[in-house]
Amino acid sequence: MMLFPLKRSKKLLYFARYSVDYGMFRFCIANTELDWRKGSEQYKFIENCLASVDRQKQPWLIFLAHRVLGYSSAGFYVAEGSFEEPMGREDLQYLWQKYKVDIAMYGHVHNYERTCPVYQVFP
C-alpha cells in the first residue's frame, strides 16, 4: 500500500496533483476540479509528468483522475447529452497518444466500464 499524506487543507487538496514512480509503474494523478486544457498549469504538469518517465525503469505509464475525462455510459452523462466531463478528452488525448499512456483510470462513476482503444472519437 502507498500512502500520500496531505495536510487537511481545502486549498491544498484542491490543488493536489502529483506523480509517483512505483516499481515498473509511473502514475500521473491529475485534479479534475481544475482546468486541464492546453496552456493551463495543470496541462503543463500532466505533460511534464508523461514526458519525464524513464520507460526503461517504468515501462507502464498510467494516468489517474477522479472525474471521467474520456468516455462513460453513466446515466447522468447520457441525460446531459454527453459521454464525458466538459473540456475532457480533446486536449488530453493528444498527450495520451504522444506519450503512449498505457492505462487511464477514473473514479466518480460508481460502476465498472472499459472500452477498446479510442482516439478522436473513433475506436
Side-chain angles (χ1 to χ4, degrees):
M1 175 173 29
M2 298 185 301
L3 300 175
F4 302 97
L6 292 173
K7 294 179 183 177
R8 298 307 267 170
S9 159
K10 286 184 181 181
K11 183 177 181 182
L12 182 60
L13 290 175
Y14 181 76
F15 291 105
R17 56 184 179 245
Y18 54 94
S19 65
V20 174
D21 294 336
Y22 186 77
M24 295 173 47
F25 302 93
R26 157 69 61 95
F27 295 92
C28 297
I29 297 91
N31 184 341
T32 57
E33 306 307 310
L34 298 176
D35 189 358
W36 55 82
R37 291 175 292 182
K38 189 172 184 175
S40 69
E41 287 299 314
Q42 181 159 225
Y43 185 92
K44 293 172 191 170
F45 163 80
I46 294 168
E47 182 162 30
N48 183 60
C49 180
L50 299 176
S52 64
V53 66
D54 179 347
R55 288 294 193 136
Q56 296 299 313
K57 294 180 181 177
Q58 285 86 30
W60 288 90
L61 183 53
I62 301 172
F63 179 85
L64 301 169
H66 177 72
R67 295 182 188 270
V68 178
L69 302 180
Y71 299 86
S72 177
S73 61
F76 55 88
Y77 289 119
V78 175
E80 293 176 350
S82 173
F83 293 98
E84 64 178 311
E85 286 291 320
M87 304 178 295
R89 182 178 60 244
E90 290 73 24
D91 287 331
L92 289 181
Q93 71 179 350
Y94 169 77
L95 294 179
W96 295 330
Q97 213 41 36
K98 180 178 180 181
Y99 297 107
K100 298 178 173 55
V101 170
D102 295 295
I103 299 172
M105 296 185 345
Y106 309 94
H108 197 63
V109 176
H110 293 225
N111 53 17
Y112 173 79
E113 298 180 59
R114 66 182 181 178
T115 68
C116 60
V118 176
Y119 182 61
Q120 295 180 340
V121 188
F122 299 101

